[in-house]
Amino acid sequence: MNMLQNQVALVTGSARGIGRSIVERLLQDGAIVYINDLKAEDIESTIQELNEQYQFEDRLFGIEGDVSNDEIVKPMIEKILSAHNRLDILVNNAGITRDGLMMRMSVQDFELVLKVNLTSAFLCSKYASRKMLSQKYGRIINISSVVGVMGNAGQANYSSSKAGMIGLTKSLAKEFGSRGVTVNAIAPGFIETAMTHHLSEEVRNKFLESIPLRRAGTPNDVAGVVSFLCSPDAAYITGQVIHVDGGMVM
Ligand code: NAP
């Protein structure tokens, strides 16, 4: 329960979905947690719901803003540091899709997905790591995807961004390792969230047939692995991509 006591965590894009489950799990592990998302009202309602359920008042905070924007991320991290003077855990979770076949994919949709999914992870890691390196401790976890490993028709932009997150993870693991900062990626498969709810029955069934465990994953399946990567048991793990996909890719 108190494994992460006094540790400060920021989870991007976490008012709902996988990010929200990660927030809940890190709070249960004892951390002080910042929920980031685009809309203040979404953050407020998530904070209210979590506090009604668990009474986390003194350890749960919100910080609104677009994490793909350099001018927003820098003051966002500074605000956390001025309140706690440390940042131990960064989970780069914010992500979007703009699916479409290559022939019809606009440059705008390609660049937007790269910016929100990959540039955001670069920016948050850049500003958070300054403190992590000086305190000689940190855990950076990038939420990538199995499609960043295997590709996916109709997701050239999204797959490229998620593959980029894997390259970022490995490079930062090499840069930061000697200073006690680990950097790992999680590659979820098919997880039940708003991002996958719009998929047709046919596409869902196709996904399920390709999963040896024969079920979709839940946000908690991902949150549990984030918790493990933040734990002392994972101290000697860095630069890895951990699949949470029911065996979809092996
Ligand atoms: P989700 O339900 O769509 O949640 C994503 C959250 O990120 C939303 O609250 C969204 O806010 C927020 N967000 C979007 N752009 C942002 C920005 N620029 N700055 C801050 N917040 C932003 O998605 P999810 O399914 O939980 O996915 C979470 C992560 O896991 C994503 O990186 C996704 O690519 C990855 N993933 C998901 C699956 C899956 O099957 N669900 C599989 C593999 C990987 P709004 O609501 O305002 O848009």
Side-chain angles (χ1 to χ4, degrees):
M1 158 68 194
N2 289 329
M3 177 176 84
L4 302 178
Q5 200 173 16
N6 298 324
Q7 293 201 24
V8 180
L10 167 63
V11 186
T12 69
S14 58
R16 60 178 162 98
I18 293 172
R20 180 187 163 136
S21 286
I22 294 170
V23 164
E24 201 172 322
R25 184 59 191 261
L26 294 178
L27 286 163
Q28 286 166 348
D29 288 342
I32 296 160
V33 183
Y34 278 79
I35 293 185
N36 154 265
D37 215 291
L38 287 173
K39 298 183 208 92
E41 63 267 28
D42 292 347
I43 297 174
E44 291 303 320
S45 62
T46 301
I47 288 180
Q48 199 180 331
E49 284 166 24
L50 287 172
N51 278 333
E52 273 166 19
Q53 204 179 342
Y54 303 101
Q55 288 91 45
F56 287 132
E57 270 88 356
D58 57 336
R59 291 193 288 117
L60 177 54
F61 303 92
I63 195 154
E64 174 200 349
D66 175 356
V67 286
S68 69
N69 184 333
D70 192 17
E71 282 164 26
I72 287 175
V73 176
K74 194 166 181 269
M76 190 187 289
I77 304 272
E78 280 166 2
K79 193 172 168 194
I80 297 172
L81 293 178
S82 68
H84 304 280
N85 196 27
R86 60 183 301 117
L87 182 54
D88 303 280
I89 296 163
L90 167 67
V91 184
N92 288 312
N93 168 79
I96 58 165
T97 53
R98 290 291 182 277
D99 297 350
L101 293 173
M102 186 64 172
M103 291 304 155
R104 288 198 289 266
M105 187 176 286
S106 66
V107 176
Q108 287 83 351
D109 277 351
F110 185 81
E111 289 183 347
L112 177 68
V113 171
L114 263 286
K115 189 165 186 262
V116 174
N117 297 2
L118 180 58
T119 307
S120 65
F122 162 77
L123 290 172
C124 292
S125 302
K126 180 179 164 83
Y127 295 114
S129 63
R130 286 183 185 163
K131 186 66 184 173
M132 289 177 175
L133 295 174
S134 75
Q135 70 194 18
K136 295 196 166 50
Y137 181 84
R139 298 276 182 268
I140 298 176
I141 296 158
N142 294 321
I143 307 300
S144 175
S145 167
V146 288
V147 304
V149 177
M150 65 178 189
N152 198 20
Q155 289 196 309
N157 48 4
Y158 184 77
S159 304
S160 302
S161 72
K162 294 300 182 180
M165 285 181 100
I166 293 173
L168 180 72
T169 299
K170 294 181 181 183
S171 302
L172 298 188
K174 289 184 178 183
E175 280 189 36
F176 299 163
S178 66
R179 304 280 282 279
V181 178
T182 67
V183 189
N184 290 289
I186 294 177
F190 179 47
I191 310 292
E192 296 279 12
T193 68
M195 194 178 263
T196 47
H197 275 170
H198 68 278
L199 296 175
S200 69
E201 200 60 27
E202 191 192 342
V203 175
R204 293 174 70 81
N205 288 338
K206 220 175 122 205
F207 267 125
L208 289 176
E209 277 164 25
S210 71
I211 301 172
L213 290 181
R214 287 290 186 273
R215 69 165 176 89
T218 66
N220 281 337
D221 289 323
V222 180
V225 178
V226 172
S227 168
F228 166 67
L229 288 172
C230 293
S231 76
D233 285 340
Y236 201 53
I237 299 174
T238 196
Q240 303 306 306
V241 182
I242 306 200
H243 287 239
V244 180
D245 64 1
M248 188 194 275
V249 177
M250 60 174 92

